Amino acid sequence: MTTPDELLATLPQTICGQVKTLLPELRECEPHEGKYSLEELKKDGLPSPAVKISILGAKQDKTFAASPATFMLKMAAYVVTRDGLGKPRDVRAANICQVLMTLIPGQRWGLNGLGDARDAEVHCLVSTKVKSKGVSLWALTWHQPISFHQPALQTLGVELYAGQAPYIGEDHLAQYEQIGGGDE
């Protein structure tokens, strides 16, 4: 289980795990530091199709009275496809982005401390330089609320009892059955 101290460091890998499950045809899905560019694509020799997950930045989000600070992460999933057998690279990239657009909104990635992912946007990063390399590069960006303060779970100190009519009221408390609360 991820602790609050590891949340930021492990988030991209956690997202990659879920993306790989949903898109098993990807040859690679890995975390990436910062923005992904054509220069890195040339340097990496990235297999295709591939997705790179990145935290692009964070800013303090709305904080309410007497509550710990929360932050809004700017996340990105970079989608890389090349020419090959089957569908054209741009169609393959658009199809992967469509799957990611259905996956990401509302996601908390199974981690405590995250709010629902929102504000998903797709950006086609195809340029003349990218086209000349036979590559399609797209990005899906979104906002992910995060809090590094996770309060300890505490009981509410409430007990719930059930009784059955006509045996209800103070005269029949001994016949009530506890169904919640207490030391459970």
Side-chain angles (χ1 to χ4, degrees):
M1 173 178 253
T2 301
T3 67
D5 296 339
E6 302 168 330
L7 190 56
L8 202 57
T10 60
L11 180 58
Q13 187 61 53
T14 301
I15 295 170
C16 285
Q18 292 190 31
V19 169
K20 286 180 194 176
T21 299
L22 196 60
L23 293 165
E25 70 276 10
L26 291 177
R27 293 191 57 210
E28 184 175 289
C29 183
E30 299 293 335
H32 180 77
E33 293 180 14
K35 291 182 179 179
Y36 196 75
S37 66
L38 178 60
E39 289 73 34
E40 289 173 287
L41 181 61
K42 286 191 251 179
K43 181 177 66 178
D44 290 348
L46 191 66
S48 170
V51 173
K52 295 280 194 174
I53 303 293
S54 182
I55 299 173
L56 300 177
K59 68 177 184 174
Q60 188 170 351
D61 199 18
K62 296 175 187 169
T63 301
F64 300 98
S67 63
T70 60
F71 299 88
M72 186 65 68
L73 300 178
K74 180 73 170 185
M75 303 293 299
Y78 292 98
V79 176
V80 179
T81 58
R82 295 184 187 276
D83 285 330
L85 300 175
K87 296 178 181 159
R89 64 182 180 243
D90 294 333
V91 171
R92 291 170 65 207
N95 289 345
I96 292 169
C97 285
Q98 181 174 330
V99 170
L100 294 175
M101 285 179 9
T102 61
L103 169 67
I104 290 171
Q107 275 289 346
R108 292 183 177 204
W109 312 107
L111 299 172
N112 293 328
L114 296 180
D116 291 344
R118 60 179 182 250
D119 305 326
E121 295 182 49
V122 173
H123 312 271
C124 180
L125 305 177
V126 174
S127 66
T128 306
K129 285 183 178 181
V130 172
K131 276 187 177 183
S132 69
K133 299 293 179 190
V135 173
S136 188
L137 179 60
W138 293 46
L140 186 125
T141 59
W142 72 96
H143 290 113
Q144 187 82 54
I146 189 169
S147 174
F148 303 110
H149 172 76
Q150 297 177 20
L153 296 177
Q154 299 176 350
T155 61
L156 296 176
V158 176
E159 296 178 355
L160 180 62
Y161 292 86
Q164 187 170 0
Y167 307 107
I168 57 173
E170 286 195 36
D171 294 340
H172 302 283
L173 291 179
Q175 294 171 318
Y176 282 20
E177 178 183 348
Q178 184 175 1
I179 60 172
D183 293 325
E184 292 183 7

